[in-house]
Amino acid sequence: MRLFSLYLAEGRGWGLVFLSPDPIFDFTFLRTQGEVTCLEPLTPFLPVGIAGCLFHGILRQYRAADLSSAAPVPLEELRDLCLREAGRMDFPFWDWGEENRPAALEGPSPAVHPLPRRDELGEVASLLAGRLLSLREIARLAGYPGEGGTAALQRVLQVLCLRGAAALVPALYPLKGSLVRCQRCGWEGIPDTGFCRACRSEACCTCPECRLMGPLSLCEPLYTAVPQRSAERQALEKAGVWGRLQKLFGLGKRDGGREEAGGREVLCTPLFFGVAPWGKSNCRAEAAKGGAPSSAVRPRHPLRLEVRLTPPQEAAAEALRDFGARAAPGSTFLVWAACGAGKTEVSFPLLGDALSRGEEVLFATPRRDVVLEIAPRLTRVFGKKVIVPLYGGSGNLGREAPLIVATTHQALRFYRKFDLVILDEGDAFPYAGSRMLHFAVERARRPGGRLVLLTATPAPWMFGSGRKGSFAMIKIPARPHGFPLPEPRFLTVDPLQNTGGKKRLRREVLDLIASLLKLPGARLFIFVPSVALTGVVGEALRAAAGEPPLEGICPEAFQWSHAGDRRRDLKRERFMAGDFPVLVTTTIMERGVTVPRVHVVVLDAGEEMVFDTPTLVQIAGRCGRSPDYPTGEVWFVDSEISRAMEEARAQIRSFNEEARRKGYLRDDYGILLKELQAFPSGVKGSVKDVP
Ligand SMILES: [Zn+2]
Ligand SMILES: [Zn+2]
């Protein structure tokens, strides 16, 4: 059942082109729906990525035509079109000879399998509404175990597709030559090909990027159904199959109708010529009976929020509520917050508003720990029934609720479902998956759905658009404690030098480190651009320990670690607990760590491949987070000043200037900072009780 063949089914005055793993079953089903004279295969059995692509070629060709009045297209024309499309791909092909096509079907159908029951159809349709799931996932969630289960499930899905209630989405498909695109995560590239047991092809491949969510290969289909509100649903029922397909997937529209979703999507729903003899099938209505529409669950106390917002947060929260109430469909709002300024909770009032309007909302973040932290808070505010937390292994994928709090990976399993998507980037270093992140949140929202980006370090695509003015934007320039952000200072010297075949740290750097270590209770993060350098710099510091300027400091004061270090968690804990004062690390290691009384030195800060602007801003943002010690020193060390170093400093300065201008800083922060430096322990109490 893993390979698909394209076919043309014909009745009196109408035709239907689609693809199926079992054309005999399709023929059987179609004959129960109306008069079908024959079913002619157009291709051999192919991996669904290839079959789907050929089918899409046919869709493209005929989409512009007014198909409802068109006469069925000649069979040979369709077969030629398939061959031409196949020629554009660089995949070795099955023999296209006639003898390799499945047999044409005519007359009474063999009726090998029973048709799926209505309740089966309804259950699977409601599971698919707004989700994009693999066969394996649907089988697991809807309870179709084993080989036999999968086969039965494919018949259910095939009927849903033929009725226009669901769409088949090839997981991977060839774009051009050997370039392949993954429709789950948006990856494009040339994958490794190899023999696949499922499709028995030598040229099958899997997506290398979203493998974590279960591997997807060229021979696997995904399925989705577009969710509908009750009013829309009724309108769709009246529209019949053809109208429904047009409305749901934009088929047959002159402008393509699908550009919104990126235009590159290969989405397979049946292509009708003439007027289909059926059309009043009601499986969406059945689906609705299966479970109450999630939008009926409203939050109990939409506005009783536990958070108390600071004035800059309040301003952002108000701007967001206004955006939620008034912004044009499809628009985006960027909340750009200083590191540690508290951006997540400013979205809560907007969330409350959206839920009480009956909207469906996705709160997405790349970090699982943020999901685990936010979900209980939101549950306390909005009630248990309103929210479903989703992360790898949560087991909640099949649950319905108006508010989904999910990791970005999980967001890839949704499809045009949400009226509002909030992407909380997390106070983290740039994630390798930021392309995937962008893709996931864009696709999870309904056409016209709105997007809110919460970030401390906008990715270029967020930043550029915000500046151009196509996104509305607000900044949260100050931290809750009302002290300015520590501004980076530059030391222009090459930090390492070779002496006697050994790498040593320059005197200027050692002086800087020594002076920082003299600050009361100081902890020091030293960032380097590579794993190898953590050891080099760590050893160099140990070699310099005990002698001026590091007199009185023992070698064990200096530790180093990186992502691949097996003892890194232990070291991090000991560093946070104050067991040793200096940790040399790479950017990746330090993610999400808040250390009290910490100062930061970045060596080779001009290494722009590693230390880009967002990374430097995040690193600087480690300092001064705690109200106990709202300041710290940030040093960027390199022989030359890079553009990223300049930009990072400029961003931080502009936050401080805006905070000062808007009166978000404490009046007395200058005096308090001086006290803090002069009498570190005595001043602790007075700094802590921040209004
Ligand atoms: Zn993928
Ligand atoms: Zn395969």
Side-chain angles (χ1 to χ4, degrees):
M1 288 280 271
R2 279 308 270 283
L3 298 169
F4 282 69
S5 164
L6 267 64
Y7 64 79
L8 167 68
E10 283 180 287
R12 198 163 295 156
W14 63 273
L16 158 67
V17 182
F18 200 47
L19 65 169
S20 173
D22 183 2
I24 298 175
F25 173 77
D26 285 38
F27 188 58
T28 313
F29 169 73
L30 291 172
R31 285 180 64 91
T32 64
Q33 302 292 303
E35 202 179 327
V36 184
T37 45
C38 66
L39 184 146
E40 287 281 356
L42 302 173
T43 67
F45 281 105
L46 300 164
V48 72
I50 309 260
C53 214
L54 301 183
F55 179 69
H56 203 243
I58 297 178
L59 277 185
R60 265 204 317 274
Q61 177 81 17
Y62 293 101
R63 190 189 281 158
D66 180 8
L67 300 174
S68 57
S69 61
V73 215
L75 187 60
E76 288 312 315
E77 189 179 317
L78 288 169
R79 284 186 177 150
D80 286 349
L81 187 62
C82 288
L83 260 177
R84 268 209 311 280
E85 283 292 321
R88 285 152 37 108
M89 304 169 206
D90 210 8
F91 278 80
F93 264 98
W94 279 251
D95 193 347
W96 280 73
E98 210 171 314
E99 65 285 1
N100 278 311
R101 274 201 301 261
L105 299 167
E106 268 179 288
S109 63
V112 268
H113 294 292
L115 293 178
R117 297 188 315 271
R118 292 188 84 121
D119 58 321
E120 290 181 285
L121 294 171
E123 261 169 45
V124 175
S126 60
L127 174 67
L128 285 179
R131 295 193 179 86
L132 183 67
L133 301 173
S134 71
L135 211 52
R136 263 191 310 267
E137 288 163 345
I138 306 168
R140 180 165 51 81
L141 293 166
Y144 288 82
E147 283 279 311
T150 308
L153 175 61
Q154 273 211 310
R155 290 191 289 275
V156 170
L157 291 163
Q158 198 66 16
V159 169
L160 288 174
C161 287
L162 286 168
R163 285 182 165 191
L168 181 154
V169 184
L172 266 65
Y173 71 92
L175 273 173
K176 204 176 163 193
S178 43
L179 193 65
V180 164
R181 179 175 162 85
C182 170
Q183 302 215 78
R184 180 163 68 186
C185 73
W187 175 81
E188 281 176 19
I190 297 174
D192 295 335
T193 51
F195 178 73
C196 165
R197 270 206 221 149
C199 68
R200 316 236 121 239
S201 154
E202 294 290 342
C204 199
C205 52
T206 55
C207 173
E209 285 235 326
C210 59
R211 210 172 266 166
L212 264 181
M213 304 171 66
L216 273 186
S217 58
L218 185 69
C219 57
E220 272 177 276
L222 302 168
Y223 290 90
T224 187
V226 177
Q228 299 303 319
R229 299 298 143 76
S230 50
E232 290 171 26
R233 193 180 288 133
Q234 279 166 13
L236 281 169
E237 288 311 320
K238 283 190 197 131
V241 168
W242 175 240
R244 202 152 64 211
L245 289 174
Q246 274 195 323
K247 284 207 169 67
L248 290 180
F249 303 114
L251 298 183
K253 281 187 190 162
R254 250 161 239 291
D255 59 357
R258 275 192 261 163
E259 297 312 311
E260 213 167 346
R264 292 232 212 181
E265 264 178 342
V266 168
L267 206 86
C268 306
T269 54
L271 176 68
F272 289 96
F273 299 94
V275 180
W278 69 92
K280 296 192 179 65
S281 66
N282 230 7
C283 54
R284 285 219 73 86
E286 292 293 320
K289 277 184 222 153
S294 55
S295 50
V297 184
R298 298 284 172 89
R300 284 172 315 188
H301 309 293
L303 295 174
R304 206 186 64 187
L305 299 170
E306 61 179 34
V307 282
R308 261 183 52 210
L309 302 173
T310 62
Q313 287 177 313
E314 190 72 54
E318 273 310 307
L320 276 178
R321 292 184 70 175
D322 195 57
F323 169 77
R326 269 179 280 277
S331 41
T332 301
F333 194 99
L334 171 63
V335 177
W336 186 9
C339 289
K343 57 188 159 43
T344 306
E345 48 268 40
V346 304
S347 67
F348 289 5
L350 167 66
L351 275 177
D353 289 357
L355 291 172
S356 54
R357 281 194 293 266
E359 295 181 0
E360 292 197 54
V361 185
L362 170 68
F363 186 100
T365 165
R367 276 169 48 185
R368 188 168 177 269
D369 53 334
V370 174
V371 174
L372 291 171
E373 190 242 329
I374 291 281
R377 280 169 78 186
L378 291 172
T379 306
R380 276 199 297 282
V381 177
F382 298 119
K384 216 174 171 178
K385 282 188 183 157
V386 179
I387 162 169
V388 169
L390 268 187
Y391 45 88
S394 67
N396 286 336
L397 183 59
R399 279 179 58 199
E400 281 290 347
L403 173 57
I404 307 271
V405 180
T407 54
T408 348
H409 270 97
Q410 298 297 320
L412 289 173
R413 292 203 172 100
F414 290 100
Y415 187 82
R416 302 200 210 164
K417 179 179 172 68
F418 300 100
D419 303 278
L420 174 67
V421 175
I422 296 174
L423 172 62
D424 186 3
E425 184 203 19
D427 247 27
F429 284 95
Y431 280 83
S434 71
R435 178 206 56 75
M436 205 195 277
L437 202 121
H438 183 190
F439 181 83
V441 296
E442 278 295 332
R443 201 184 49 190
R445 56 176 165 156
R446 291 162 65 84
R450 298 184 184 115
L451 175 63
V452 170
L453 304 165
L454 308 171
T455 177
T457 46
W461 62 272
M462 304 174 180
F463 192 54
S465 307
R467 261 188 178 166
K468 266 184 257 154
S470 58
F471 293 1
M473 177 172 83
I474 192 165
K475 287 186 188 173
I476 310 177
R479 289 173 168 169
H481 56 49
F483 285 79
L485 306 160
E487 291 179 12
R489 286 189 270 175
F490 300 156
L491 175 63
T492 43
V493 62
D494 197 354
L496 286 162
Q497 61 182 355
N498 271 318
T499 7
K502 275 209 155 181
K503 293 241 179 195
R504 293 186 188 281
L505 285 163
R506 261 180 219 281
R507 180 65 190 223
E508 292 92 325
V509 179
L510 293 175
D511 282 342
L512 171 64
I513 290 169
S515 73
L516 292 174
L517 286 177
K518 285 195 182 100
L519 295 170
R523 235 73 64 72
L524 187 56
F525 255 136
I526 299 179
F527 289 94
V528 292
S530 70
V531 170
L533 274 177
T534 56
V536 171
V537 170
E539 299 279 8
L541 282 166
R542 284 191 174 179
E547 292 179 24
L550 295 174
E551 65 271 21
I553 297 175
C554 62
E556 288 70 39
F558 303 101
Q559 304 282 338
W560 59 93
S561 187
H562 50 81
D565 179 2
R566 269 191 292 164
R567 295 177 57 222
R568 67 173 176 169
D569 287 341
L570 181 71
K571 283 183 193 165
R572 183 160 51 192
E573 266 167 42
R574 287 184 50 213
F575 180 60
M576 288 173 77
D579 285 0
F580 60 89
V582 182
L583 184 63
V584 184
T585 178
T586 57
T587 57
I588 212 80
M589 154 83 185
E590 178 277 346
R591 206 175 270 187
V593 178
T594 299
V595 182
R597 290 179 175 257
V598 77
H599 306 275
V600 167
V601 175
V602 186
L603 299 180
D604 289 339
E607 200 75 46
E608 279 188 295
M609 292 297 284
V610 180
F611 298 121
D612 56 5
T613 309
T615 305
L616 289 174
V617 168
Q618 286 286 358
I619 288 177
R622 297 298 114 197
C623 269
R625 292 171 88 93
S626 143
D628 287 349
Y629 195 79
T631 185
E633 293 201 19
V634 180
W635 287 89
F636 295 163
V637 184
D638 208 328
S639 54
E640 276 176 46
I641 295 167
S642 70
R643 214 183 59 157
M645 287 161 71
E646 290 277 16
E647 269 183 16
R649 184 169 68 177
Q651 276 188 19
I652 292 167
R653 278 189 177 159
S654 86
F655 273 131
N656 283 341
E657 272 156 29
E658 183 168 337
R660 211 165 280 137
R661 208 171 50 241
K662 293 195 167 156
Y664 291 152
L665 300 180
R666 287 176 69 127
D667 297 334
D668 54 352
Y669 79 82
I671 302 162
L672 284 171
L673 281 181
K674 272 197 194 115
E675 281 179 27
L676 196 68
Q677 273 139 14
F679 313 100
S681 48
V683 85
K684 209 171 162 183
S686 72
V687 177
K688 203 172 184 178
D689 51 7
V690 173

